């Protein structure tokens, strides 16, 4: 099952459920499996801390004060001990019977805290006291003692391995202490009991079952609402967008929900605007191209048939019409070809340093000769010869197209001026005509493919609607800047600017 085939709703749903379940699993691990260990460790740590506190209080204390339940010292110890639910015994060494403590049912202790809890010492603390005392003397530091009830055998040892205490439910912690009578032989025994956590764990297990059910139910609800909120606008937008495929561009996307949806709205609306423009251009193109192709083809076939049927009509003029129309077709086809090659990136640009001024001069002279009989004048003004880096034939095409447009749209004025303006680093070539000009609102569109100001384009204008877009593609490739300024019925100035080669 591929993830991108699963709907957003189900993906969200599974993620939320997985999240819920993982929380439950973590909870289980901590509560059911680690609870006992954590609890025991904490208890042992607290016991050690308590012993530290007790030691600082009891060491060098007055024996009488310790014995007196109402003394402030006793009260302080009692309150410390009560917090941990522990018992504290202070024993004098001489009070401890030697060897086997089983023979000694009752050990006399100096004091017990909490004092109200007058427990039977031996019942609580099942260890060999004299051994413990000797051990503490030997190691000279506090010591955990393990009692082993099952075998009814007293033993003790210093615990380095805390696992042993962890398994044992009695925590017995002993430390030697000195009191005011300087007998040097007192021992504090701190006793606390670890209550088994099994009943708590059982309760937790039941609770966890309920929690799991509740979390799952909540996940389903949350997933349902979130996915609805996220996927609904997307589904709606998708439905709308499908209409685009059928060519319906009269849509406005206005899905709501979150900022990404708003961004998507904007993008889609922008895309529709662009698609609309392209669509309009495409329609115009089909109209233009089919008109451009059909008219010369009709003329060619008409004249050819006439020449076949009426040999006496085989005049120079009639043949010239066929030749003119063929070249018009050729221009259109070659323009289309150049443009598609450049935009597709398959056209090769042969970049080199070349003489721009001479290049312009040659084209101007050629064109001048071509239209001389119409009393047309092209004036090329330049002060020096300039070199630029570029593809000479492509730049020649640019100059040729600018010039042809200037001639085609110069109306009755029949004057076209070409200027070469140089600075230290740049050269600007301007093509000025005094013809029909271009309306302000049309100016930004003239560089677009197939765009023609005169939509009905009469046959008096020779263009294909591709001249300026070919110029644009070539100049963009060269990173040359270009532009146009025009006043309707007064004329236009088209220009491009290139870096000079030294
Ligand atoms: P065309 O082959 O129709 O000339 P172009 O891409 O060269 O196509 O130009 C696009 C449109 O820009 C032309 O149809 C024309 O309306 C306008 N145009 C271009 N050059 C001039 C100019 N020198 N004077 C007025 N209009 C111009």
């Amino acid at each position: 099952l591929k993830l991108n085939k699963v709907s957003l709703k189900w993906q969200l749903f599974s993620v939320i459920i997985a999240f819920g379940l993982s929380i439950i699993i973590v909870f289980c691990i901590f509560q059911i499996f680690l609870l006992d260990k954590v609890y025991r460790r904490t208890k042992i740590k607290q016991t050690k801390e308590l012993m530290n506190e007790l030691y600082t209080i009891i060491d060098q204390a007055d024996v009488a004060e310790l014995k007196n339940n109402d003394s402030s010292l006793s009260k302080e110890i009692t309150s410390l001990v009560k917090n941990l639910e522990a018992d504290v015994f202070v024993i004098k060494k001489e009070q401890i019977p030697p060897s086997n403590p089983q023979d000694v049912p009752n050990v006399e202790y100096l004091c017990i805290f909490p004092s109200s809890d007058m427990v039977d010492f031996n019942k609580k603390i099942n260890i060999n006291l004299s051994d413990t005392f000797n051990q503490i003397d030997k190691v000279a530091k506090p010591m955990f003692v393990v009692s082993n009830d099952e075998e009814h055998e007293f033993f003790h040892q210093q615990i380095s391995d805390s696992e042993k205490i962890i398994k044992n439910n009695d925590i017995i912690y002993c430390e030697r202490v000195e009191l005011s009578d300087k007998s040097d032989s007192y021992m504090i025994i701190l006793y606390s009991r670890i209550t088994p956590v099994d009943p708590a764990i059982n309760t937790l297990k039941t609770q966890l079952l309920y929690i799991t059910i509740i979390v799952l139910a909540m996940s389903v609800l949350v997933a349902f609402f979130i996915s609805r909120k996220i996927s609904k606008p997307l589904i709606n937008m998708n439905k709308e967008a499908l209409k685009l495929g059928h060519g319906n561009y009269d849509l406005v996307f206005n899905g709501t929900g979150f900022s990404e949806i708003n961004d998507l709205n904007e993008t889609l609306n922008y895309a529709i605007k662009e698609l609309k423009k392209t669509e309009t251009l495409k329609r115009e193109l089909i109209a233009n191209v089919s008109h451009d192709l059909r008219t010369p083809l009709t003329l060619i076939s008409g004249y050819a048939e006439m020449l076949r049927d009426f040999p006496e009509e085989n005049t120079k003029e009639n043949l010239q019409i066929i030749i003119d129309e063929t070249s018009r077709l050729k221009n259109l086809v070659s323009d289309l070809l150049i443009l598609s090659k450049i935009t597709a990136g398959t056209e090769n640009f042969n970049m080199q340093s070349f003489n721009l001024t001479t290049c312009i001069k040659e084209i101007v002279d050629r064109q001048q000769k071509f239209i001389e009989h119409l009393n047309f004048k092209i004036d090329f003004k330049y002060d020096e010869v300039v070199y630029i880096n570029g593809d000479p034939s492509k730049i020649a095409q640019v100059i040729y197209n600018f010039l042809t447009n200037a001639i085609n749209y110069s109306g009755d004025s029949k004057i076209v001026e070409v200027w070469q303006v140089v600075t230290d680093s740049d050269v600007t070539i301007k093509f000025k005509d005094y013809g029909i000009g271009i309306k302000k609102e049309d100016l930004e569109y003239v560089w677009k493919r197939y765009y023609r100001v005169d939509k009905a384009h009469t046959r008096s204008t020779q263009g294909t609607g591709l001249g300026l877009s070919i110029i644009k593609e070539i100049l963009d490739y060269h990173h040359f800047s270009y532009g146009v300024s025009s006043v309707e019925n007064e004329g236009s100035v088209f220009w491009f600017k290139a870096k000079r080669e030294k």
Side-chain angles (χ1 to χ4, degrees), residues 299-314:
L299 278 169
I300 292 167
S301 73
Y303 273 81
E305 277 172 23
M306 185 178 76
L307 294 182
R308 184 196 60 198
D309 298 340
F310 306 100
E312 67 277 12
E313 289 291 334
N314 191 346

Side-chain angles (χ1 to χ4, degrees), residues 335 401-402 404-410 431-433 435-438 442 445-454 457 461-471 484 486 491-494:
D335 272 5
N401 286 6
F402 272 141
T404 324
N405 277 351
I407 295 166
N408 281 344
Y409 300 105
S410 66
F431 302 85
K432 180 166 175 56
D433 67 69
I436 56 170
I438 305 167
D442 288 326
Y445 297 110
V446 294
W447 307 96
K448 292 226 167 188
R449 224 171 272 195
Y450 307 114
Y451 190 85
R452 308 184 75 177
V453 174
D454 173 16
H457 64 110
T461 54
Q462 298 287 314
T464 56
L466 297 173
L468 286 179
S469 25
I470 292 176
I471 290 176
V484 55
S486 184
S492 323
V493 179
F494 281 83

